[in-house]
Amino acid sequence: MDLSLPNPSWSKDMRLLFDQFMKKSEDGSWKHLPSYKNKFSRRIEDIKVFFPDAKLIKEKISQAQLFPRNFEEGLGFEYAMFHNHAEDRTVCIFQGGPYLQGAPGFLHGGAIATMIDSTLGMTALIAGGIVMTANLNINFKRPIPLCSVVVINSQVDKVEGRKLFLSCNIRSVDEQTLYSEATSKNLCLFWVWFSLSYISLGFVFGV
Ligand SMILES: CCCCCCCC(=O)SCCNC(=O)CCNC(=O)[C@H](O)C(C)(C)COP(=O)(O)OP(=O)(O)OC[C@H]1O[C@@H](n2cnc3c(N)ncnc32)[C@H](O)[C@@H]1OP(=O)(O)O
């Protein structure tokens, strides 16, 4: 089941943004990226293709689920991603639920980092194939109020061989407040230099 579609826990802002991006997707310039709880590869052999020396706990792999998709509706990470191929950028609309609290009334820094890593990771995945985050630097400029809606804008800035250099920022819906800025270096595990369809890649990583 695609968990990046509107559900009753979404606020008005979240639905408005989703509808705006779905409208933008009508001419094909943007593409909504579906998101599944466990569209992971559930077979050791598939994972071993990418991580041959990984010491995997065999019996646990079949239970694998995408971390941000593991919370009950509305309590954790509610988000949807859209990708603009021409501009090589991904936008994630994100509403962080009450179970993601850090300081009272605000999102935990680790929850913010999760959504930054997921959005940058997805951007890198589409641009360069099977990637891993090698380095992630985040500047937390303003605390993000719990249950508010924010927009994560991420892009590929530079590609050098297997290395992809990306950046993103997190802003309020009205774009007036800059909450966080981040840069990352992602490494391609395989020399795949054309953007594979994210659905086929989702088979391994999910979104
Ligand atoms: C929804 C979409 C997906 C959601 C998931 C998002 C992605 C993730 O969260 S991935 C999980 C977190 N990341 C990890 O666990 C990665 C763990 N690390 C690794 O697997 C490896 O270190 C890996 C793959 C990053 C690099 O290893 P390897 O392929 O052997 O490359 P390696 O030879 O060490 O380095 C290659 C180049 O990258 C550079 N590099 C490697 N690591 C880093 C780093 N941390 N910082 C900067 N540069 C680095 C090296 O300096 C080298 O550069 P050069 O070629 O100029 O000398």
Side-chain angles (χ1 to χ4, degrees):
M1 177 186 144
D2 183 356
L3 295 172
S4 69
L5 298 173
N7 68 54
S9 76
W10 283 23
S11 68
K12 193 163 69 36
D13 277 347
M14 194 67 180
R15 284 173 179 274
L16 215 60
L17 280 168
F18 182 83
D19 293 345
Q20 282 170 4
F21 274 97
M22 287 306 277
K23 188 113 189 80
K24 286 182 182 182
S25 305
E26 284 171 3
D27 66 2
S29 55
W30 286 86
K31 193 184 266 287
H32 171 245
L33 304 180
S35 175
Y36 308 99
K37 193 185 242 290
N38 47 16
K39 189 118 181 155
F40 272 106
S41 165
R42 303 161 76 89
R43 299 184 324 140
I44 288 267
E45 304 71 48
D46 295 336
I47 297 175
K48 284 282 186 187
V49 165
F50 301 108
F51 308 100
D53 59 353
K55 306 277 177 292
L56 299 165
I57 303 171
K58 204 174 172 76
E59 61 281 359
K60 293 294 179 198
I61 290 289
S62 61
Q63 297 170 308
Q65 295 189 352
L66 189 65
F67 165 49
R69 289 300 182 196
N70 250 316
F71 294 74
E72 280 165 63
E73 196 172 279
L75 298 178
F77 300 88
E78 290 296 339
Y79 65 96
M81 292 191 198
F82 295 84
H83 183 75
N84 183 311
H85 202 65
E87 297 172 13
D88 226 353
R89 71 188 180 98
T90 304
V91 169
C92 176
I93 56 176
F94 166 44
Q95 175 185 298
Y99 282 13
L100 304 184
Q101 176 167 272
F106 295 98
L107 280 187
H108 189 290
I112 299 168
T114 293
M115 286 319 296
I116 288 176
D117 190 29
S118 294
T119 308
L120 287 169
M122 194 62 218
T123 311
L125 202 66
I126 294 175
I130 307 299
V131 294
M132 289 288 267
T133 304
N135 180 283
L136 181 62
N137 297 296
I138 301 173
N139 288 312
F140 297 100
K141 312 288 255 187
R142 301 279 295 273
I144 301 178
L146 212 52
C147 305
S148 67
V149 178
V150 292
V151 181
I152 307 174
N153 254 295
S154 87
Q155 62 189 35
V156 176
D157 294 322
K158 186 173 62 168
V159 177
E160 278 175 8
R162 290 175 53 211
K163 293 184 275 188
L164 289 92
F165 299 79
L166 301 106
S167 60
C168 77
N169 61 47
I170 304 184
R171 287 187 176 275
S172 53
V173 173
D174 64 8
E175 300 186 18
Q176 295 309 302
T177 308
L178 172 64
Y179 288 115
S180 306
E181 289 174 317
T183 57
S184 80
K185 185 181 283 184
N186 289 53
L187 277 162
C188 299
L189 300 183
F190 273 57
W191 289 80
V192 178
W193 287 119
F194 50 93
S195 64
L196 293 174
S197 126
Y198 60 87
I199 294 178
S200 59
L201 289 178
F203 174 71
V204 176
F205 282 93
V207 285

